[in-house]
Amino acid sequence: MVTTPVPGPPLRVRLPAVNPAVLRFLANEAGSAVFLLAGTVLALVWANSPWAHTYTSLWSTTAGFHLGSLGLDLDLHHWVNDAAMAVFFLVVGLEINREVTSGELRSRRTVAVPALGALGGLVVPALIYLAFNGGTAAAHGWGIVMSTDTAFLVGVLALFGPACPDRLRLFLLTLAIVDDIGAITVMAVFYTKHVDVAALVLAGVVVVAILAMRWLGVWQLAPYVVAAIGLWFAVQASGVHPTLAGVLIGLLVPSRRSRHELVEDVVRYAERLAHDTSAQGEHLTELAARAAVPPSDRLQRVLHPWSAYAVVPVFGLANAGVRLDLETLRSAASSPVTIGIAVALLAGNTIGIFGASTVAIRAGLGVLPGRVRYGHLLGGAVLAGIGFTISLFIVDLAFTDATLVEQAKIGVLTGSLIAAVLGSILLRIFGERLPLCSPESDGPPPSLPPRPWLAPAT
């Protein structure tokens, strides 16, 4: 990791520096996954400790605000799942927006194999889950098994993947993005219980206003942030899950590269500032620099560290606290819900992703990036069975019965853990026997997408 100097004069007193190795760890994909894992483990320990009642009482504590007759009251669990997770989905939307505009999702040949693999990873797990639970009250939970957790997937790949994981990471990241699109669509269509038409119309008006700002060329972030807050309240009142407001904002914020003349303006204003160091010159140079960078990139730079290192770990802490006493585990071991979810996550993703990707390759619809082998594809498909964040999210949307919720969460945790361990082992085996790095004679590797999940260099 290259360290970029921070502008500005140093402090008179030097503070103790953080170990560069620690900064490098926190700045890669594994850092975010470890924070999420820590929140999950803490939730499980807390929920199974003598102080388990404080875990339940904390997340059921009500908080809100009022302005005259208007106001909103939610318990802390819903503030995390409905409000804070909107930031997570906004970052997902920004990543999809960037990939479609200037990333890997622009190329049909590049995206065909992971896209069809993601489709297999959506359909096959759902069918396997329904094979266990079709015709029962638990059938509504089929969407739980349709999502791959990007943070854990890429984090585990960084920690335990083959020696040269970049091309495999490119494939799995593209697959996870397409997978997120499918999972978000399923949430919007199949897990909305009731709709308030008036609030939905208001949300539509806000969306039109955002599109108008895009057309007018608004590049300042403040108008989009105000619109995002308004859209969240409108969607929350409509009955559609409010986190979908985050996805919409992420998809709608402008992401196209700036015109060359805007970049040249930065140089001109900077040269003026060098000759006349004034507050006005500094302000104009700052505005020129902001106008030269797409709003989506600036918004993602601000929000992604909060999403990766605060929102998602807190979500794990708020949702992974499941009682694991002997009676609960005995009941889960024979529950079609628990077994169906665990099998669907592991076997469904392996069969669906590997099978659909193989068909796409054999049919000539696309190719694997670089020199990724079928063995790496198999290990990556198993690893994609880690369905943590959005899976736990959909559990609370699909079930209201406390027993079903408990059994479903155990299924998600079990299936994700087995997928992580087995996928890591397979990638280690195939990574040693099937070298992933291409020889120099094969030409340069394909370009990798930027890593928006990285913390900004300091």
Side-chain angles (χ1 to χ4, degrees):
M1 181 183 70
V2 178
T3 301
T4 304
V6 178
L11 297 174
R12 290 183 183 274
V13 178
R14 292 182 62 86
L15 300 176
V18 179
N19 190 313
V22 176
L23 291 177
R24 283 194 297 272
F25 175 75
L26 293 178
N28 67 23
E29 300 92 333
S32 175
V34 167
F35 273 70
L36 175 56
L37 180 61
T40 302
V41 172
L42 178 57
L44 288 170
V45 171
W46 190 356
N48 291 276
S49 72
W51 305 278
H53 64 281
T54 62
Y55 179 86
T56 304
S57 62
L58 171 66
W59 299 114
S60 60
T61 301
T62 301
F65 61 89
H66 294 271
L67 182 62
S69 60
L70 301 177
L72 181 64
D73 288 292
L74 298 173
D75 58 39
L76 291 184
H77 184 264
H78 282 91
W79 275 117
V80 171
N81 284 18
D82 295 359
M85 283 298 286
V87 176
F88 166 80
F89 282 101
L90 196 159
V91 173
V92 171
L94 289 171
E95 173 63 13
I96 294 171
N97 189 357
R98 189 196 63 77
E99 288 294 327
V100 170
T101 303
S102 58
E104 294 301 322
L105 296 186
R106 292 185 306 163
S107 169
R108 184 188 68 84
R109 292 280 294 172
T110 303
V111 78
V113 177
L116 290 174
L119 183 62
L122 291 169
V123 174
V124 176
L127 293 177
I128 290 178
Y129 177 83
L130 288 174
F132 282 88
N133 295 279
T136 69
H140 192 51
W142 57 271
I144 297 170
V145 298
M146 297 181 71
S147 176
T148 295
D149 191 288
T150 308
F152 267 139
L153 171 68
V154 185
V156 171
L157 182 63
L159 288 171
F160 304 107
C164 303
D166 276 349
R167 295 184 182 93
L168 182 59
R169 178 178 63 83
L170 171 63
F171 174 85
L172 292 176
L173 180 59
T174 306
L175 183 146
I177 290 170
V178 178
D179 180 271
D180 284 341
I181 296 173
I184 290 166
T185 303
V186 166
M187 285 172 52
V189 175
F190 297 100
Y191 289 97
T192 297
K193 297 178 181 179
H194 65 277
V195 175
D196 185 309
V197 177
L200 204 58
V201 169
L202 179 58
V205 171
V206 177
V207 169
V208 171
I210 296 171
L211 292 173
M213 288 191 291
R214 282 178 55 118
W215 181 79
L216 290 170
V218 175
W219 54 267
Q220 296 91 339
L221 279 183
Y224 293 105
V225 172
V226 172
I229 295 172
L231 183 61
W232 185 88
F233 278 103
V235 175
Q236 199 273 341
S238 73
V240 179
H241 203 276
T243 51
L244 297 178
V247 179
L248 285 174
I249 292 294
L251 295 175
L252 294 176
V253 172
S255 62
R256 293 194 178 277
R257 300 293 99 184
S258 300
R259 302 189 305 273
H260 184 64
E261 55 266 27
L262 292 177
V263 179
E264 292 178 340
D265 283 344
V266 180
V267 178
R268 285 196 292 269
Y269 280 105
E271 289 175 347
R272 291 182 190 177
L273 180 63
H275 289 91
D276 179 21
T277 308
S278 64
Q280 179 67 5
E282 181 274 334
H283 178 64
L284 293 175
T285 305
E286 183 181 358
L287 290 179
R290 289 179 179 176
V293 180
S296 63
D297 286 8
R298 288 183 279 128
L299 189 59
Q300 193 167 48
R301 184 191 70 82
V302 173
L303 292 181
H304 193 275
W306 287 100
S307 171
Y309 300 113
V311 171
V312 174
V314 171
F315 172 84
L317 179 62
N319 288 271
V322 182
R323 290 288 295 175
L324 298 178
D325 54 55
L326 188 60
E327 182 180 349
T328 301
L329 292 176
R330 186 184 298 114
S331 175
S334 59
S335 167
V337 174
T338 304
I339 298 172
I341 289 176
V343 172
L345 286 174
L346 181 61
N349 279 282
T350 303
I351 296 170
I353 293 173
F354 185 79
S357 298
T358 301
V359 169
I361 295 168
R362 295 296 178 88
L365 299 177
V367 294
L368 289 173
R371 292 173 63 85
V372 174
R373 310 298 213 285
Y374 279 105
H376 305 122
L377 176 60
L378 176 61
V382 174
L383 206 61
I386 305 174
F388 189 82
T389 305
I390 297 182
S391 293
L392 289 179
F393 192 83
I394 296 179
V395 166
D396 284 328
L397 298 180
F399 300 136
T400 55
D401 181 84
T403 301
L404 289 180
V405 170
E406 197 170 62
Q407 293 174 350
K409 288 185 176 182
I410 292 175
V412 171
L413 294 173
T414 303
S416 297
L417 178 61
I418 296 174
V421 173
L422 184 58
S424 299
I425 293 172
L426 288 175
L427 285 177
R428 273 299 181 187
I429 294 173
F430 292 126
E432 293 176 358
R433 297 183 180 179
L434 302 173
L436 191 59
C437 298
S438 300
E440 293 294 331
S441 58
D442 283 357
S447 60
L448 293 174
R451 302 182 180 186
W453 53 86
L454 297 187
T458 56

